[in-house]
């Protein structure tokens, strides 16, 4: 995987926040918490951009789900939007608020079924620290680094690599070092046709293949992945969505 984190100043800040959140959780447990929040922020940012555009057009379609789905944007119900979550950041119910937001987003967007983590209300997750991380995400400044998708996608990659470092040899089950991924893709030279990774982990090789082919990720539809670990396959799908892929298929399975 190419190093796309250079020049973006807040990945380490987000990672430091993840470490604060950790408390007594193992890296394998709090990984889904942090990555889930990043994805939720991405969904809400894209929705908000389109929502404001529709409001400016003045035709009253800002709550019409079809206006979003037709452009590959996930529809976010009012009580699940980041602004609503941010207002509850420093309440004892913040974990439940986030879990409920994940559930209603999945209900409105069938592509996200069984992908989003819903473990923020667990007792061992410090709600004060969780609120601090929500604040951090709310105040992310999108400057000198392109779109929010690019920023959050790169941040997601950065956090995945840091989780891999913390989990040591066990990380091989979900993460392949970027230099290995980049070398494999350059050897394979996937300039056209389909790309299939039968043990895709968190989707790094699929994303690098898309980059290598320099395709329009919105319309590229020949990406296939399989991963035996259900939680890891969910992270792979979030990772692909964060990098702009829309038409792909990653399933949980073990044909090997």
């Amino acid at each position: 995987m190419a190093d796309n984190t250079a020049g973006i100043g807040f990945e380490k800040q987000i990672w430091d926040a993840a470490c604060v959140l950790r408390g007594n959780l193992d890296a394998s447990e709090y990984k889904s918490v942090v990555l889930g929040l990043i994805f939720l922020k991405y969904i809400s940012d894209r929705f908000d951009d389109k929502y404001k555009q529709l409001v400016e057009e003045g035709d009253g379609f800002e709550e019409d789900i079809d206006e979003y789905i037709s452009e590959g944007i996930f529809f976010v119900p009012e009580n699940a939007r980041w602004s609503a979550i941010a207002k509850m950041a420093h309440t004892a119910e913040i974990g439940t608020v986030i879990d409920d937001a994940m559930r209603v987003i999945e209900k409105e967007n069938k592509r996200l079924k069984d992908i989003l983590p819903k473990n923020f209300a667990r007792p061992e997750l410090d709600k004060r620290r969780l609120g601090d991380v929500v604040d951090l995400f709310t105040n992310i400044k999108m400057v000198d680094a392109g779109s929010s998708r690019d920023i959050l996608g790169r941040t997601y990659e950065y956090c995945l690599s840091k989780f891999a470092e913390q989990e040591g040899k066990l990380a091989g089950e979900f993460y392949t070092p970027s230099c290995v991924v980049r070398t494999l893709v350059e050897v394979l030279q996937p300039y056209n046709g389909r790309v299939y990774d039968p043990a895709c982990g968190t989707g790094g090789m699929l994303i690098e293949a898309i980059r290598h082919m320099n395709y329009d990720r919105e319309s590229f539809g020949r990406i296939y992945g399989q991963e035996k670990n259900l939680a890891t396959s969910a992270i792979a799908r979030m990772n692909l969505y964060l990098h702009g892929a829309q038409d792909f298929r990653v399933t949980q399975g073990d044909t090997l």
Side-chain angles (χ1 to χ4, degrees), residues 36-220:
L37 279 178
I38 293 173
F39 190 67
L40 182 58
K41 182 63 165 61
Y42 156 76
I43 289 174
S44 194
D45 277 2
R46 288 207 72 200
F47 174 87
D48 284 346
D49 285 346
K50 182 63 178 177
Y51 184 92
K52 291 173 184 175
Q53 177 188 328
L54 290 171
V55 169
E56 289 174 1
E57 290 174 1
D59 295 322
F61 294 137
E62 57 268 19
E63 295 292 345
D64 185 344
I65 188 172
D66 292 335
E67 293 289 331
Y68 299 89
I69 300 300
S70 64
E71 295 188 21
I73 298 171
F74 297 112
F75 181 80
V76 183
E78 186 172 0
N79 61 340
R81 294 167 195 170
W82 192 265
S83 57
I85 293 168
K87 289 178 182 177
M88 300 294 290
H90 295 290
T91 67
E93 296 78 29
I94 182 58
T96 301
V97 168
I98 295 174
D99 285 345
D100 289 346
M102 296 292 194
R103 291 189 180 95
V104 298
I105 289 171
E106 281 193 348
K107 183 178 179 180
E108 294 291 343
N109 302 273
K110 302 306 181 185
R111 290 182 296 161
L112 294 178
K113 181 176 172 56
D114 299 327
I115 292 181
L116 304 182
K118 295 168 279 290
N119 54 2
F120 293 86
R122 67 173 97 175
E124 60 270 28
L125 187 60
D126 188 305
K127 302 307 180 290
R128 179 184 58 79
R129 293 175 177 176
L130 178 57
D132 289 342
V133 176
V134 170
D135 280 348
L136 171 66
F137 276 51
T138 300
N139 295 318
I140 286 177
K141 304 300 183 186
M142 306 297 183
V143 294
D144 301 326
S147 70
S148 60
R149 174 192 298 161
D150 293 333
I151 292 170
L152 292 172
R154 292 166 183 174
T155 302
Y156 200 87
E157 288 182 11
Y158 180 86
C159 288
L160 277 173
S161 69
K162 299 300 286 185
F163 280 121
E165 287 179 15
Q166 292 223 343
E167 294 191 45
K169 65 180 182 180
L170 294 177
E173 294 182 6
F174 75 88
Y175 183 80
T176 303
S178 59
C179 57
V180 176
V181 171
R182 187 167 58 251
T183 299
L184 283 171
V185 172
E186 289 177 354
V187 169
L188 292 171
Q189 296 185 338
Y191 290 113
N192 54 59
R194 305 177 200 176
V195 176
Y196 168 60
D197 187 345
C200 69
T202 53
M205 186 170 174
L206 298 177
I207 291 167
E208 184 62 27
I210 293 173
R211 288 179 179 145
H212 187 84
M213 286 184 279
N214 198 29
Y215 270 83
D216 176 0
R217 286 172 287 181
E218 297 282 355
S219 60
F220 186 69

